[in-house]
Amino acid sequence: LDWDVSDDTFAYVTHSKGFKSGGYNSGLCDNEFEPEIIYATEIGVKTRIQETVQLNAAAFYYDYEDLQTRQIINNASQVGNAAKAEIYGLELEATAYLLDNLTIDAAVTFLHAENEEYSVSDPMAPALGIQDLKGKELVRAPDWRATAGIEYNFSVGDSGGLLVRYEVTRSDNLFYTVFNNDFSEQEAYGVSNLRLTWRA
């Protein structure tokens, strides 16, 4: 559902269903995994202020059934299914066109991503038996992530253009295993990139 609030503001809401096909883990007998189903809902708004500033905001909710998860078992990557999982969050974006060739942009995402129903044994700690992973964070899903960048376009005669961009990203801590093991935790970190692009 789309709504043109004004000449400079656009609002929308979407609801969709999707799936990722199931399959079989290679090298094992009778080891299939089910299709992953997602119900996704999003509501958002996009607006432009005086033709120079673009602001976007979106809130979303993802409901997963049979979420496909991956574990390392006997040095092989194996896919299984979590019964239920959910993700919801908020995304904010801003872009400012300060000069004809100068652009500044920033974005931040706040995320809640965890298992709702999932019981499985840890191949690295089989003595613990079947573990209830309800409330455990999903893999590679930080609570927040932010990015900011600045770029400038240079004209290079008749031969094209040169784009110079610098950006920095900060991310909250995240986990690389469904069990949220301490050894699999990536502490909060930052990354800086400098990019030089020539367009013919």
Side-chain angles (χ1 to χ4, degrees), residues 11-158:
Y12 66 93
V13 59
T14 66
H15 181 73
S16 58
K17 176 186 178 182
F19 84 102
K20 184 190 296 183
S21 177
Y24 294 87
N25 288 297
S26 60
L28 296 173
C29 295
D30 192 30
N31 191 349
E32 64 178 311
F33 52 92
E34 299 297 324
E36 173 185 293
I37 308 296
I38 181 176
Y39 298 90
T41 302
E42 180 174 331
I43 182 171
V45 62
K46 301 177 184 291
T47 184
R48 177 162 287 196
I49 302 173
Q50 295 181 347
E51 298 297 323
T52 59
V53 178
Q54 175 76 38
L55 300 176
N56 302 330
F60 54 89
Y61 177 79
Y62 301 154
D63 182 20
Y64 285 94
E65 295 179 2
D66 293 321
L67 174 70
Q68 292 175 8
T69 62
R70 191 176 296 275
Q71 294 190 55
I72 302 300
I73 303 176
N74 296 328
N75 295 322
S77 178
Q78 304 293 331
V79 177
N81 294 99
K84 290 183 178 295
E86 69 173 9
I87 297 176
Y88 59 83
L90 177 67
E91 290 182 342
L92 303 173
E93 301 175 339
T95 303
Y97 306 93
L98 302 182
L99 301 172
D100 290 342
N101 297 328
L102 179 65
T103 304
I104 295 177
D105 56 83
V108 61
T109 301
F110 301 98
L111 196 64
H112 172 92
E114 65 179 31
N115 291 297
E116 289 293 292
E117 293 181 28
Y118 190 19
S119 296
V120 68
S121 61
D122 186 349
M124 303 189 74
L128 297 177
I130 301 297
Q131 299 184 43
D132 183 3
L133 301 186
K134 181 177 181 178
K136 295 289 187 180
E137 294 183 19
L138 298 186
V139 172
R140 301 187 183 191
D143 288 344
W144 61 266
R145 181 182 177 89
T147 301
I150 182 170
E151 61 183 54
Y152 193 86
N153 275 291
F154 296 90
S155 295
V156 185
D158 296 329

